[in-house]
Amino acid sequence: MQAGQLQYSIRYYERKGILLCFALLALAGCKLEHISRVKLSQMSNDIQTIQTAVRIEVPSCTHYEDKTKPSKSLLDTAQLVEQLFSDAEFDGCQNEGLESIATYLVPMQVGTVPPDAKDYTPKGISIIRNNYDVVFFALSEDIRQKISEAKKNAMTKDLKFNVIIKFINDTNEKLKIFPSAVYVDDIAFAGLPAWGNNYTILPKKTATIILSNVASDYVVSNGLVPVFSEAQKQNTKE
């Protein structure tokens, strides 16, 4: 299926509404999954924009009668993603085992907030670092409101928003971090440095960081949630 064909079909279904999209996806056992690949060197520099992916389960990628056409659920999903992420770009739909997964490319801001910035307002999706070496995941007010509105609907209240960060230590030194309420390489952390709550990412290695359910709900409600802090600042304070 061509991206142009999908975009044409999206416009045809424009008036269906975001709650209908959420309802159809929730009935299919859907979850929104945001996946990014972020380098330590990117977090240490000025804020820049990178491409990330949003993945969503759909009942089927193609129409049940004509496999050359997108399924109705894929059209509804595309409308949902456009509503949530205005700059999203369809990247394809594939069968992965028993699941059908639609993927969309979504821009995200990464980097360190300028030292003279008094407040930071997220634009879309962001992973930013403050001047105390704390890394945060952030959502804009617009995205948060749309997710929150959908969760008020009885059919979509259990919709999941999962955040997965592939964090790459692209330096030649070990990186010791103090994770917040996240999983790092399948290890659960509670954000308590005094309890030995730390993890070391080896040079040139990638750690998979997944926000806990609590952290994901918190960022939807408040816009900003800590992911981890770097050991250097922790040691300075001690």
Side-chain angles (χ1 to χ4, degrees), residues 9-228:
S9 301
I10 290 170
R11 290 193 292 271
Y12 182 79
Y13 286 94
E14 271 181 346
R15 297 180 182 178
K16 287 187 176 290
I18 189 169
L19 286 181
L20 174 60
C21 295
F22 268 116
L24 291 170
L25 293 171
L27 287 173
C30 167
K31 61 177 180 291
L32 286 168
E33 187 174 78
H34 179 260
I35 302 176
S36 60
R37 293 181 63 85
V38 181
K39 298 177 181 179
L40 176 59
S41 59
Q42 292 172 322
M43 295 305 308
S44 303
N45 290 318
D46 295 340
I47 293 176
Q48 60 182 288
T49 300
I50 65 171
Q51 284 281 36
T52 64
V54 169
R55 289 160 47 93
I56 306 181
E57 293 178 38
V58 294
S60 175
C61 291
T62 56
H63 192 278
Y64 70 98
E65 290 181 337
D66 187 347
K67 299 300 183 183
T68 65
K69 296 180 179 179
S71 67
K72 184 177 182 297
S73 60
L74 182 57
L75 295 173
D76 290 331
T77 301
Q79 184 184 349
L80 163 65
V81 174
E82 282 197 341
Q83 291 278 357
L84 285 177
F85 313 107
S86 58
D87 296 326
E89 177 184 342
F90 179 68
D91 192 47
C93 186
Q94 296 182 345
N95 295 321
E96 298 182 5
L98 299 178
E99 297 178 341
S100 297
I101 305 294
T103 303
Y104 301 82
L105 301 179
V106 178
M108 181 181 76
Q109 290 189 328
V110 298
T112 297
V113 176
D116 57 348
K118 295 181 179 179
D119 297 298
Y120 174 76
T121 302
K123 296 180 181 179
I125 307 173
S126 306
I127 297 180
I128 54 99
R129 176 174 173 263
N130 67 14
N131 292 284
Y132 298 97
D133 293 342
V134 181
V135 173
F136 296 86
F137 182 84
L139 292 175
S140 68
E141 179 69 20
D142 182 56
I143 293 175
R144 291 166 50 215
Q145 285 183 351
K146 288 172 180 175
I147 294 177
S148 297
E149 283 299 317
K151 287 191 172 185
K152 292 178 183 178
N153 185 286
M155 297 183 69
T156 60
K157 64 181 180 179
D158 294 327
L159 190 70
K160 304 296 184 183
F161 178 64
N162 296 339
V163 177
I164 300 173
I165 304 167
K166 301 286 187 177
F167 195 83
I168 305 164
N169 178 10
D170 57 342
T171 72
N172 294 316
E173 299 179 359
K174 295 180 180 179
L175 175 66
K176 187 176 182 179
I177 63 173
F178 291 86
S180 297
V182 300
Y183 295 89
V184 183
D185 291 339
D186 295 325
I187 301 173
F189 290 91
L192 299 169
W195 291 4
N197 187 68
N198 61 77
Y199 188 86
T200 298
I201 306 175
L202 297 176
K204 309 301 182 182
K205 297 296 182 180
T206 299
T208 299
I209 302 174
I210 303 175
L211 266 61
S212 68
N213 292 340
V214 171
S216 294
D217 289 344
Y218 188 88
V219 75
V220 171
S221 299
N222 298 278
L224 196 72
V225 67
V227 178
F228 65 81

